[in-house]
Amino acid sequence: LLTAIENGDVELSFQPYLNLKSGQIAAIDVDVKWQHPIKGIINCSQVFQQVSNSQILMSLLQWQISACCNLQKIWYLKGYPEVRIRLLIDERQLLHKDLLSCLAKGIESTGHVNTNIELVIHDTSLNKNHEQIKRVLVQSGKLGFKTGILFSAKGFLPVTTLHDCGIHSLSIVHDAFVPEADADIQAELIKGFNSLCKATNIKLLISGVSSDAQKKLYLKQGIYTLSGSHFSEQQTAKDFELVLKRFKESNPANNNQTLIDKTA
């Protein structure tokens, strides 16, 4: 894996969130793709499962931070709209003793001061080692990183934890918690999450939206920040820069339609 990074065989891929009310790109989820010479393309989650050496995971994270900061620097210099990058980190990375130094080195390597990166952790991580994680998140916040929670429907989310850890966003995958069979249950669950986020001043993001019916389900509840194949497939950095260029050259605030070309 380390050799693959050095050889440029590992690259970032992007899945944007579109705010359908403003027409702007609200944020982007960043994944890692490894072009393995034998196994083909391996995604980030598979990489985490296969790596047992935590130091390799930290090297990968530092590379991700550096790559994201470098891209943000390039986009900034080209005058593209500022977009928050959301980076999912593994629990082993989150609790690693070198996490903060890894984050700091990743930022320093590019010299870009306008870092806009959100570290996304699984909700189950908050249910364990709470005090340690709280300290880590507070310290990472001082370095300029925001924190997001990915809700997996496997843990629980105490409101005090959300407040104490300074959580910025809560992202939910549509298929993870919404039963397709019962529209009333769908509406009540979505309404509950929306109310929780409003009460705690946390941004609610929905990913995995794959149809117009699902989109309308969230819009009806006043939830506008959505992501998924209905709007865009995952894109390479090169393709996503074309998206940012189109946003720069247009006025998306007057157009709530999908501005991301699925064929890019």
Side-chain angles (χ1 to χ4, degrees), residues 2-16:
L2 296 179
T3 301
I5 292 175
E6 294 174 359
N7 293 341
D9 295 330
V10 177
E11 65 176 14
L12 301 176
S13 64
F14 301 90
Q15 182 80 45

Side-chain angles (χ1 to χ4, degrees), residues 169-209:
S169 72
L170 175 66
S171 55
I172 302 174
V173 181
H174 174 83
D175 290 340
F177 83 104
V178 177
E180 294 287 355
D182 194 316
D184 291 334
I185 294 179
Q186 285 181 348
E188 288 302 318
L189 284 172
I190 294 168
K191 183 178 179 180
F193 276 107
N194 198 21
S195 297
L196 170 65
C197 288
K198 286 183 178 180
T200 53
N201 196 28
I202 294 174
K203 296 183 181 299
L204 178 60
L205 311 176
I206 305 294
S207 64
V209 177

Side-chain angles (χ1 to χ4, degrees), residues 187-234:
E188 288 302 318
L189 284 172
I190 294 168
K191 183 178 179 180
F193 276 107
N194 198 21
S195 297
L196 170 65
C197 288
K198 286 183 178 180
T200 53
N201 196 28
I202 294 174
K203 296 183 181 299
L204 178 60
L205 311 176
I206 305 294
S207 64
V209 177
S210 59
S211 69
D212 190 60
Q214 292 175 2
K215 180 189 76 172
K216 292 178 179 178
L217 176 69
Y218 292 105
L219 293 181
K220 188 175 181 180
Q221 295 293 335
I223 301 172
Y224 301 102
T225 308
L226 309 175
S227 173
S229 60
H230 182 65
F231 308 101
S232 170
E233 302 294 343
Q234 286 193 352

Side-chain angles (χ1 to χ4, degrees), residues 1 4 9-11 32-37 40-43 47:
L1 178 57
D9 295 330
V10 177
E11 65 176 14
V32 174
K33 301 294 183 181
W34 176 9
Q35 184 63 53
H36 195 281
I41 296 178
I42 302 175
N43 64 30
V47 170

Side-chain angles (χ1 to χ4, degrees), residues 25-27 72 75-76 79-84 112 114-116 244:
I25 298 176
Q72 287 185 328
W75 297 340
Y76 173 78
Y80 295 145
E82 184 177 6
V83 181
R84 172 161 293 154
H112 183 47
N114 296 325
T115 303
N116 191 6
L244 292 176

